[in-house]
């Protein structure tokens, strides 16, 4: 099973540019990795510019080979065309079926519970501090 998430940055006009991430979307992994490795607007924008992601932080490729660096595993690296998506409002951004939504806004990452079956739906979720192993 996967824990799907959407990762976005808020643009100057309040629209949101985002990508889908298939695996490890829970705050204890993706949230921590976003805070640790994509701390600035520029780093967050660079992450999102690559398009949709299978895994945010891995050192394993599509054929289970060990990669020389650790980072995002983009669908584009296996030839798929999955560019970032733009949403004009927060409501459109959050209105998907991913379990969590991350947004880089006002210089920091914020996580939202996007699990419609949960009584904390659309509430902010704390991203824990501390490194996690890949």
């Amino acid at each position: 099973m996967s824990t799907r998430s959407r990762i976005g940055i808020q643009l100057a006009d309040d629209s949101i540019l985002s990508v889908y991430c298939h695996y490890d979307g829970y705050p204890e992994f993706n949230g921590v990795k976003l805070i640790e490795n994509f701390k600035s607007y520029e780093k967050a924008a660079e992450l999102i510019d690559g398009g949709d992601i299978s895994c945010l932080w891995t050192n394993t490729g599509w054929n289970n080979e060990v990669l020389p660096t650790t980072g995002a595993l983009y669908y584009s690296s296996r030839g798929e065309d999955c560019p970032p998506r733009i949403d004009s409002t927060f409501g459109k951004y959050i209105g998907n079926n991913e379990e969590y939504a991350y947004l880089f806004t006002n210089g920091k990452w914020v996580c939202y519970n996007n699990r419609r079956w949960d009584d904390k739906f659309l509430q902010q979720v704390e991203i824990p501090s501390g490194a996690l192993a890949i």
Side-chain angles (χ1 to χ4, degrees), residues 97-126:
N97 293 318
E98 297 92 5
E99 284 87 356
Y100 293 97
Y102 296 91
L103 183 60
F104 193 86
T105 181
N106 297 318
K108 66 179 184 173
W109 286 105
V110 179
C111 178
Y112 294 91
N113 176 344
N114 202 25
R115 298 176 297 179
R116 296 182 186 283
W117 63 89
D118 195 322
D119 61 349
K120 295 183 179 181
F121 175 58
L122 292 185
Q123 292 182 20
Q124 284 190 23
V125 177
E126 181 180 350

PDB file of all heavy atoms in Angstrom, residues 97-126:
ATOM      1  N   ASN A  97      -7.608  13.153  -4.022  1.00  0.00           N
ATOM      2  CA  ASN A  97      -7.735  11.939  -3.229  1.00  0.00           C
ATOM      3  C   ASN A  97      -6.449  11.510  -2.537  1.00  0.00           C
ATOM      4  O   ASN A  97      -6.356  10.389  -2.069  1.00  0.00           O
ATOM      5  CB  ASN A  97      -8.266  10.806  -4.108  1.00  0.00           C
ATOM      6  CG  ASN A  97      -9.687  11.068  -4.530  1.00  0.00           C
ATOM      7  OD1 ASN A  97     -10.507  11.511  -3.725  1.00  0.00           O
ATOM      8  ND2 ASN A  97      -9.988  10.825  -5.785  1.00  0.00           N
ATOM      9  N   GLU A  98      -5.460  12.376  -2.464  1.00  0.00           N
ATOM     10  CA  GLU A  98      -4.251  12.042  -1.727  1.00  0.00           C
ATOM     11  C   GLU A  98      -4.534  12.140  -0.220  1.00  0.00           C
ATOM     12  O   GLU A  98      -5.364  12.926   0.209  1.00  0.00           O
ATOM     13  CB  GLU A  98      -3.112  13.002  -2.088  1.00  0.00           C
ATOM     14  CG  GLU A  98      -2.687  12.938  -3.534  1.00  0.00           C
ATOM     15  CD  GLU A  98      -3.401  13.921  -4.434  1.00  0.00           C
ATOM     16  OE1 GLU A  98      -4.174  14.748  -3.927  1.00  0.00           O
ATOM     17  OE2 GLU A  98      -3.190  13.852  -5.649  1.00  0.00           O
ATOM     18  N   GLU A  99      -3.815  11.344   0.560  1.00  0.00           N
ATOM     19  CA  GLU A  99      -4.045  11.346   2.011  1.00  0.00           C
ATOM     20  C   GLU A  99      -3.508  12.591   2.704  1.00  0.00           C
ATOM     21  O   GLU A  99      -4.066  13.040   3.709  1.00  0.00           O
ATOM     22  CB  GLU A  99      -3.417  10.109   2.653  1.00  0.00           C
ATOM     23  CG  GLU A  99      -4.202   8.845   2.431  1.00  0.00           C
ATOM     24  CD  GLU A  99      -3.875   8.105   1.151  1.00  0.00           C
ATOM     25  OE1 GLU A  99      -3.068   8.598   0.328  1.00  0.00           O
ATOM     26  OE2 GLU A  99      -4.438   7.034   0.939  1.00  0.00           O
ATOM     27  N   TYR A 100      -2.407  13.147   2.185  1.00  0.00           N
ATOM     28  CA  TYR A 100      -1.816  14.349   2.781  1.00  0.00           C
ATOM     29  C   TYR A 100      -1.478  15.342   1.685  1.00  0.00           C
ATOM     30  O   TYR A 100      -1.169  14.965   0.560  1.00  0.00           O
ATOM     31  CB  TYR A 100      -0.535  14.005   3.563  1.00  0.00           C
ATOM     32  CG  TYR A 100      -0.821  13.161   4.777  1.00  0.00           C
ATOM     33  CD1 TYR A 100      -0.680  11.779   4.739  1.00  0.00           C
ATOM     34  CD2 TYR A 100      -1.256  13.739   5.963  1.00  0.00           C
ATOM     35  CE1 TYR A 100      -0.967  10.997   5.844  1.00  0.00           C
ATOM     36  CE2 TYR A 100      -1.548  12.964   7.076  1.00  0.00           C
ATOM     37  CZ  TYR A 100      -1.398  11.601   7.008  1.00  0.00           C
ATOM     38  OH  TYR A 100      -1.686  10.831   8.104  1.00  0.00           O
ATOM     39  N   ALA A 101      -1.523  16.608   2.048  1.00  0.00           N
ATOM     40  CA  ALA A 101      -1.134  17.671   1.128  1.00  0.00           C
ATOM     41  C   ALA A 101      -0.116  18.562   1.832  1.00  0.00           C
ATOM     42  O   ALA A 101      -0.351  19.000   2.968  1.00  0.00           O
ATOM     43  CB  ALA A 101      -2.352  18.490   0.706  1.00  0.00           C
ATOM     44  N   TYR A 102       1.001  18.787   1.161  1.00  0.00           N
ATOM     45  CA  TYR A 102       2.062  19.641   1.697  1.00  0.00           C
ATOM     46  C   TYR A 102       2.100  20.924   0.882  1.00  0.00           C
ATOM     47  O   TYR A 102       1.957  20.901  -0.338  1.00  0.00           O
ATOM     48  CB  TYR A 102       3.418  18.947   1.606  1.00  0.00           C
ATOM     49  CG  TYR A 102       3.480  17.704   2.454  1.00  0.00           C
ATOM     50  CD1 TYR A 102       3.142  16.465   1.930  1.00  0.00           C
ATOM     51  CD2 TYR A 102       3.842  17.786   3.791  1.00  0.00           C
ATOM     52  CE1 TYR A 102       3.176  15.327   2.718  1.00  0.00           C
ATOM     53  CE2 TYR A 102       3.878  16.642   4.590  1.00  0.00           C
ATOM     54  CZ  TYR A 102       3.544  15.428   4.045  1.00  0.00           C
ATOM     55  OH  TYR A 102       3.567  14.305   4.823  1.00  0.00           O
ATOM     56  N   LEU A 103       2.307  22.021   1.574  1.00  0.00           N
ATOM     57  CA  LEU A 103       2.350  23.309   0.903  1.00  0.00           C
ATOM     58  C   LEU A 103       3.498  24.131   1.462  1.00  0.00           C
ATOM     59  O   LEU A 103       3.593  24.328   2.683  1.00  0.00           O
ATOM     60  CB  LEU A 103       1.023  24.049   1.096  1.00  0.00           C
ATOM     61  CG  LEU A 103       0.873  25.387   0.389  1.00  0.00           C
ATOM     62  CD1 LEU A 103       1.000  25.225  -1.126  1.00  0.00           C
ATOM     63  CD2 LEU A 103      -0.458  26.026   0.750  1.00  0.00           C
ATOM     64  N   PHE A 104       4.382  24.594   0.565  1.00  0.00           N
ATOM     65  CA  PHE A 104       5.428  25.529   0.971  1.00  0.00           C
ATOM     66  C   PHE A 104       4.841  26.924   0.837  1.00  0.00           C
ATOM     67  O   PHE A 104       4.532  27.377  -0.257  1.00  0.00           O
ATOM     68  CB  PHE A 104       6.684  25.379   0.104  1.00  0.00           C
ATOM     69  CG  PHE A 104       7.868  26.096   0.678  1.00  0.00           C
ATOM     70  CD1 PHE A 104       8.675  25.476   1.614  1.00  0.00           C
ATOM     71  CD2 PHE A 104       8.152  27.394   0.300  1.00  0.00           C
ATOM     72  CE1 PHE A 104       9.761  26.129   2.165  1.00  0.00           C
ATOM     73  CE2 PHE A 104       9.235  28.062   0.846  1.00  0.00           C
ATOM     74  CZ  PHE A 104      10.048  27.432   1.780  1.00  0.00           C
ATOM     75  N   THR A 105       4.646  27.574   1.963  1.00  0.00           N
ATOM     76  CA  THR A 105       4.020  28.886   2.000  1.00  0.00           C
ATOM     77  C   THR A 105       4.629  29.702   3.134  1.00  0.00           C
ATOM     78  O   THR A 105       4.942  29.155   4.193  1.00  0.00           O
ATOM     79  CB  THR A 105       2.489  28.769   2.156  1.00  0.00           C
ATOM     80  OG1 THR A 105       1.910  30.074   2.156  1.00  0.00           O
ATOM     81  CG2 THR A 105       2.088  28.031   3.418  1.00  0.00           C
ATOM     82  N   ASN A 106       4.826  30.970   2.888  1.00  0.00           N
ATOM     83  CA  ASN A 106       5.407  31.867   3.898  1.00  0.00           C
ATOM     84  C   ASN A 106       6.722  31.328   4.463  1.00  0.00           C
ATOM     85  O   ASN A 106       6.991  31.434   5.652  1.00  0.00           O
ATOM     86  CB  ASN A 106       4.411  32.136   5.028  1.00  0.00           C
ATOM     87  CG  ASN A 106       3.169  32.843   4.534  1.00  0.00           C
ATOM     88  OD1 ASN A 106       3.256  33.760   3.715  1.00  0.00           O
ATOM     89  ND2 ASN A 106       2.021  32.410   4.996  1.00  0.00           N
ATOM     90  N   GLY A 107       7.524  30.719   3.600  1.00  0.00           N
ATOM     91  CA  GLY A 107       8.856  30.268   3.984  1.00  0.00           C
ATOM     92  C   GLY A 107       8.927  28.980   4.768  1.00  0.00           C
ATOM     93  O   GLY A 107       9.979  28.660   5.324  1.00  0.00           O
ATOM     94  N   LYS A 108       7.828  28.204   4.807  1.00  0.00           N
ATOM     95  CA  LYS A 108       7.873  26.942   5.546  1.00  0.00           C
ATOM     96  C   LYS A 108       6.905  25.927   4.948  1.00  0.00           C
ATOM     97  O   LYS A 108       5.987  26.271   4.203  1.00  0.00           O
ATOM     98  CB  LYS A 108       7.560  27.157   7.020  1.00  0.00           C
ATOM     99  CG  LYS A 108       6.139  27.602   7.269  1.00  0.00           C
ATOM    100  CD  LYS A 108       5.875  27.765   8.759  1.00  0.00           C
ATOM    101  CE  LYS A 108       4.413  28.112   8.975  1.00  0.00           C
ATOM    102  NZ  LYS A 108       4.060  28.129  10.366  1.00  0.00           N
ATOM    103  N   TRP A 109       7.104  24.666   5.308  1.00  0.00           N
ATOM    104  CA  TRP A 109       6.230  23.578   4.885  1.00  0.00           C
ATOM    105  C   TRP A 109       5.089  23.419   5.875  1.00  0.00           C
ATOM    106  O   TRP A 109       5.299  23.421   7.082  1.00  0.00           O
ATOM    107  CB  TRP A 109       6.998  22.257   4.798  1.00  0.00           C
ATOM    108  CG  TRP A 109       7.896  22.198   3.616  1.00  0.00           C
ATOM    109  CD1 TRP A 109       9.257  22.331   3.609  1.00  0.00           C
ATOM    110  CD2 TRP A 109       7.500  21.994   2.258  1.00  0.00           C
ATOM    111  NE1 TRP A 109       9.721  22.228   2.319  1.00  0.00           N
ATOM    112  CE2 TRP A 109       8.667  22.021   1.473  1.00  0.00           C
ATOM    113  CE3 TRP A 109       6.273  21.802   1.625  1.00  0.00           C
ATOM    114  CZ2 TRP A 109       8.651  21.851   0.098  1.00  0.00           C
ATOM    115  CZ3 TRP A 109       6.244  21.635   0.254  1.00  0.00           C
ATOM    116  CH2 TRP A 109       7.418  21.660  -0.494  1.00  0.00           C
ATOM    117  N   VAL A 110       3.887  23.269   5.343  1.00  0.00           N
ATOM    118  CA  VAL A 110       2.698  23.001   6.142  1.00  0.00           C
ATOM    119  C   VAL A 110       2.066  21.737   5.569  1.00  0.00           C
ATOM    120  O   VAL A 110       2.040  21.534   4.356  1.00  0.00           O
ATOM    121  CB  VAL A 110       1.700  24.181   6.061  1.00  0.00           C
ATOM    122  CG1 VAL A 110       0.463  23.895   6.873  1.00  0.00           C
ATOM    123  CG2 VAL A 110       2.361  25.477   6.505  1.00  0.00           C
ATOM    124  N   CYS A 111       1.559  20.878   6.457  1.00  0.00           N
ATOM    125  CA  CYS A 111       0.927  19.629   6.046  1.00  0.00           C
ATOM    126  C   CYS A 111      -0.550  19.663   6.426  1.00  0.00           C
ATOM    127  O   CYS A 111      -0.911  20.116   7.519  1.00  0.00           O
ATOM    128  CB  CYS A 111       1.616  18.454   6.737  1.00  0.00           C
ATOM    129  SG  CYS A 111       0.874  16.845   6.350  1.00  0.00           S
ATOM    130  N   TYR A 112      -1.384  19.160   5.513  1.00  0.00           N
ATOM    131  CA  TYR A 112      -2.828  19.081   5.757  1.00  0.00           C
ATOM    132  C   TYR A 112      -3.283  17.636   5.648  1.00  0.00           C
ATOM    133  O   TYR A 112      -2.855  16.905   4.757  1.00  0.00           O
ATOM    134  CB  TYR A 112      -3.600  19.914   4.721  1.00  0.00           C
ATOM    135  CG  TYR A 112      -3.329  21.377   4.843  1.00  0.00           C
ATOM    136  CD1 TYR A 112      -2.301  21.963   4.116  1.00  0.00           C
ATOM    137  CD2 TYR A 112      -4.071  22.172   5.701  1.00  0.00           C
ATOM    138  CE1 TYR A 112      -2.024  23.317   4.230  1.00  0.00           C
ATOM    139  CE2 TYR A 112      -3.801  23.528   5.818  1.00  0.00           C
ATOM    140  CZ  TYR A 112      -2.775  24.091   5.079  1.00  0.00           C
ATOM    141  OH  TYR A 112      -2.505  25.428   5.202  1.00  0.00           O
ATOM    142  N   ASN A 113      -4.155  17.248   6.553  1.00  0.00           N
ATOM    143  CA  ASN A 113      -4.798  15.945   6.503  1.00  0.00           C
ATOM    144  C   ASN A 113      -5.843  16.015   5.396  1.00  0.00           C
ATOM    145  O   ASN A 113      -6.776  16.797   5.458  1.00  0.00           O
ATOM    146  CB  ASN A 113      -5.459  15.652   7.853  1.00  0.00           C
ATOM    147  CG  ASN A 113      -6.235  14.361   7.875  1.00  0.00           C
ATOM    148  OD1 ASN A 113      -6.555  13.779   6.843  1.00  0.00           O
ATOM    149  ND2 ASN A 113      -6.558  13.905   9.064  1.00  0.00           N
ATOM    150  N   ASN A 114      -5.679  15.202   4.377  1.00  0.00           N
ATOM    151  CA  ASN A 114      -6.606  15.217   3.242  1.00  0.00           C
ATOM    152  C   ASN A 114      -7.380  13.906   3.146  1.00  0.00           C
ATOM    153  O   ASN A 114      -7.872  13.533   2.091  1.00  0.00           O
ATOM    154  CB  ASN A 114      -5.826  15.480   1.946  1.00  0.00           C
ATOM    155  CG  ASN A 114      -6.711  16.033   0.855  1.00  0.00           C
ATOM    156  OD1 ASN A 114      -7.732  16.645   1.112  1.00  0.00           O
ATOM    157  ND2 ASN A 114      -6.312  15.818  -0.379  1.00  0.00           N
ATOM    158  N   ARG A 115      -7.459  13.201   4.288  1.00  0.00           N
ATOM    159  CA  ARG A 115      -8.176  11.932   4.336  1.00  0.00           C
ATOM    160  C   ARG A 115      -9.639  12.214   4.659  1.00  0.00           C
ATOM    161  O   ARG A 115     -10.004  12.511   5.793  1.00  0.00           O
ATOM    162  CB  ARG A 115      -7.553  11.016   5.390  1.00  0.00           C
ATOM    163  CG  ARG A 115      -6.101  10.690   5.052  1.00  0.00           C
ATOM    164  CD  ARG A 115      -5.441   9.886   6.113  1.00  0.00           C
ATOM    165  NE  ARG A 115      -5.399  10.677   7.351  1.00  0.00           N
ATOM    166  CZ  ARG A 115      -4.895  10.236   8.494  1.00  0.00           C
ATOM    167  NH1 ARG A 115      -4.413   9.022   8.584  1.00  0.00           N
ATOM    168  NH2 ARG A 115      -4.873  11.002   9.551  1.00  0.00           N
ATOM    169  N   ARG A 116     -10.479  12.117   3.663  1.00  0.00           N
ATOM    170  CA  ARG A 116     -11.892  12.488   3.797  1.00  0.00           C
ATOM    171  C   ARG A 116     -12.631  11.675   4.859  1.00  0.00           C
ATOM    172  O   ARG A 116     -13.620  12.124   5.397  1.00  0.00           O
ATOM    173  CB  ARG A 116     -12.596  12.359   2.457  1.00  0.00           C
ATOM    174  CG  ARG A 116     -12.049  13.316   1.422  1.00  0.00           C
ATOM    175  CD  ARG A 116     -12.793  13.218   0.108  1.00  0.00           C
ATOM    176  NE  ARG A 116     -12.168  14.029  -0.906  1.00  0.00           N
ATOM    177  CZ  ARG A 116     -12.276  15.343  -1.000  1.00  0.00           C
ATOM    178  NH1 ARG A 116     -12.977  16.009  -0.129  1.00  0.00           N
ATOM    179  NH2 ARG A 116     -11.671  15.996  -1.964  1.00  0.00           N
ATOM    180  N   TRP A 117     -12.177  10.475   5.145  1.00  0.00           N
ATOM    181  CA  TRP A 117     -12.832   9.621   6.130  1.00  0.00           C
ATOM    182  C   TRP A 117     -12.433   9.963   7.566  1.00  0.00           C
ATOM    183  O   TRP A 117     -13.002   9.445   8.508  1.00  0.00           O
ATOM    184  CB  TRP A 117     -12.499   8.154   5.850  1.00  0.00           C
ATOM    185  CG  TRP A 117     -11.037   7.856   5.988  1.00  0.00           C
ATOM    186  CD1 TRP A 117     -10.387   7.475   7.133  1.00  0.00           C
ATOM    187  CD2 TRP A 117     -10.038   7.929   4.981  1.00  0.00           C
ATOM    188  NE1 TRP A 117      -9.041   7.309   6.895  1.00  0.00           N
ATOM    189  CE2 TRP A 117      -8.804   7.576   5.564  1.00  0.00           C
ATOM    190  CE3 TRP A 117     -10.061   8.258   3.618  1.00  0.00           C
ATOM    191  CZ2 TRP A 117      -7.612   7.543   4.850  1.00  0.00           C
ATOM    192  CZ3 TRP A 117      -8.865   8.220   2.920  1.00  0.00           C
ATOM    193  CH2 TRP A 117      -7.666   7.864   3.526  1.00  0.00           C
ATOM    194  N   ASP A 118     -11.460  10.842   7.729  1.00  0.00           N
ATOM    195  CA  ASP A 118     -10.914  11.174   9.041  1.00  0.00           C
ATOM    196  C   ASP A 118     -11.656  12.364   9.638  1.00  0.00           C
ATOM    197  O   ASP A 118     -11.995  13.314   8.920  1.00  0.00           O
ATOM    198  CB  ASP A 118      -9.428  11.507   8.867  1.00  0.00           C
ATOM    199  CG  ASP A 118      -8.655  11.524  10.161  1.00  0.00           C
ATOM    200  OD1 ASP A 118      -9.199  11.980  11.177  1.00  0.00           O
ATOM    201  OD2 ASP A 118      -7.491  11.095  10.140  1.00  0.00           O
ATOM    202  N   ASP A 119     -11.875  12.349  10.945  1.00  0.00           N
ATOM    203  CA  ASP A 119     -12.564  13.477  11.581  1.00  0.00           C
ATOM    204  C   ASP A 119     -11.696  14.731  11.629  1.00  0.00           C
ATOM    205  O   ASP A 119     -12.183  15.807  11.955  1.00  0.00           O
ATOM    206  CB  ASP A 119     -13.063  13.105  12.985  1.00  0.00           C
ATOM    207  CG  ASP A 119     -11.958  12.713  13.941  1.00  0.00           C
ATOM    208  OD1 ASP A 119     -10.807  12.522  13.506  1.00  0.00           O
ATOM    209  OD2 ASP A 119     -12.257  12.577  15.152  1.00  0.00           O
ATOM    210  N   LYS A 120     -10.415  14.621  11.282  1.00  0.00           N
ATOM    211  CA  LYS A 120      -9.521  15.779  11.230  1.00  0.00           C
ATOM    212  C   LYS A 120      -9.241  16.211   9.789  1.00  0.00           C
ATOM    213  O   LYS A 120      -8.241  16.853   9.501  1.00  0.00           O
ATOM    214  CB  LYS A 120      -8.223  15.469  11.965  1.00  0.00           C
ATOM    215  CG  LYS A 120      -8.474  15.243  13.443  1.00  0.00           C
ATOM    216  CD  LYS A 120      -7.209  15.005  14.190  1.00  0.00           C
ATOM    217  CE  LYS A 120      -7.560  14.803  15.663  1.00  0.00           C
ATOM    218  NZ  LYS A 120      -6.402  14.596  16.477  1.00  0.00           N
ATOM    219  N   PHE A 121     -10.141  15.881   8.892  1.00  0.00           N
ATOM    220  CA  PHE A 121     -10.027  16.234   7.476  1.00  0.00           C
ATOM    221  C   PHE A 121      -9.811  17.731   7.316  1.00  0.00           C
ATOM    222  O   PHE A 121     -10.491  18.542   7.939  1.00  0.00           O
ATOM    223  CB  PHE A 121     -11.301  15.787   6.754  1.00  0.00           C
ATOM    224  CG  PHE A 121     -11.388  16.182   5.308  1.00  0.00           C
ATOM    225  CD1 PHE A 121     -10.421  15.792   4.406  1.00  0.00           C
ATOM    226  CD2 PHE A 121     -12.455  16.929   4.860  1.00  0.00           C
ATOM    227  CE1 PHE A 121     -10.507  16.143   3.061  1.00  0.00           C
ATOM    228  CE2 PHE A 121     -12.558  17.289   3.524  1.00  0.00           C
ATOM    229  CZ  PHE A 121     -11.577  16.893   2.626  1.00  0.00           C
ATOM    230  N   LEU A 122      -8.831  18.084   6.504  1.00  0.00           N
ATOM    231  CA  LEU A 122      -8.432  19.447   6.159  1.00  0.00           C
ATOM    232  C   LEU A 122      -7.791  20.225   7.303  1.00  0.00           C
ATOM    233  O   LEU A 122      -7.517  21.409   7.163  1.00  0.00           O
ATOM    234  CB  LEU A 122      -9.598  20.256   5.581  1.00  0.00           C
ATOM    235  CG  LEU A 122     -10.090  19.789   4.217  1.00  0.00           C
ATOM    236  CD1 LEU A 122     -11.157  20.725   3.693  1.00  0.00           C
ATOM    237  CD2 LEU A 122      -8.955  19.673   3.219  1.00  0.00           C
ATOM    238  N   GLN A 123      -7.511  19.573   8.403  1.00  0.00           N
ATOM    239  CA  GLN A 123      -6.802  20.237   9.488  1.00  0.00           C
ATOM    240  C   GLN A 123      -5.301  20.122   9.255  1.00  0.00           C
ATOM    241  O   GLN A 123      -4.822  19.171   8.637  1.00  0.00           O
ATOM    242  CB  GLN A 123      -7.170  19.635  10.839  1.00  0.00           C
ATOM    243  CG  GLN A 123      -8.599  19.904  11.236  1.00  0.00           C
ATOM    244  CD  GLN A 123      -8.923  19.328  12.605  1.00  0.00           C
ATOM    245  OE1 GLN A 123      -8.042  19.048  13.404  1.00  0.00           O
ATOM    246  NE2 GLN A 123     -10.197  19.148  12.864  1.00  0.00           N
ATOM    247  N   GLN A 124      -4.565  21.108   9.759  1.00  0.00           N
ATOM    248  CA  GLN A 124      -3.115  21.024   9.673  1.00  0.00           C
ATOM    249  C   GLN A 124      -2.616  19.895  10.560  1.00  0.00           C
ATOM    250  O   GLN A 124      -3.173  19.622  11.615  1.00  0.00           O
ATOM    251  CB  GLN A 124      -2.473  22.339  10.103  1.00  0.00           C
ATOM    252  CG  GLN A 124      -2.573  23.408   9.052  1.00  0.00           C
ATOM    253  CD  GLN A 124      -1.726  24.616   9.385  1.00  0.00           C
ATOM    254  OE1 GLN A 124      -0.770  24.547  10.139  1.00  0.00           O
ATOM    255  NE2 GLN A 124      -2.085  25.751   8.811  1.00  0.00           N
ATOM    256  N   VAL A 125      -1.563  19.239  10.080  1.00  0.00           N
ATOM    257  CA  VAL A 125      -0.941  18.123  10.776  1.00  0.00           C
ATOM    258  C   VAL A 125       0.476  18.535  11.136  1.00  0.00           C
ATOM    259  O   VAL A 125       1.192  19.090  10.294  1.00  0.00           O
ATOM    260  CB  VAL A 125      -0.907  16.868   9.874  1.00  0.00           C
ATOM    261  CG1 VAL A 125      -0.193  15.723  10.551  1.00  0.00           C
ATOM    262  CG2 VAL A 125      -2.312  16.477   9.452  1.00  0.00           C
ATOM    263  N   GLU A 126       0.885  18.244  12.340  1.00  0.00           N
ATOM    264  CA  GLU A 126       2.246  18.562  12.745  1.00  0.00           C
ATOM    265  C   GLU A 126       3.228  17.651  12.012  1.00  0.00           C
ATOM    266  O   GLU A 126       3.015  16.436  11.903  1.00  0.00           O
ATOM    267  CB  GLU A 126       2.410  18.377  14.249  1.00  0.00           C
ATOM    268  CG  GLU A 126       3.791  18.710  14.740  1.00  0.00           C
ATOM    269  CD  GLU A 126       3.945  18.535  16.238  1.00  0.00           C
ATOM    270  OE1 GLU A 126       2.945  18.332  16.931  1.00  0.00           O
ATOM    271  OE2 GLU A 126       5.094  18.603  16.695  1.00  0.00           O
TER     272      GLU A 126
END
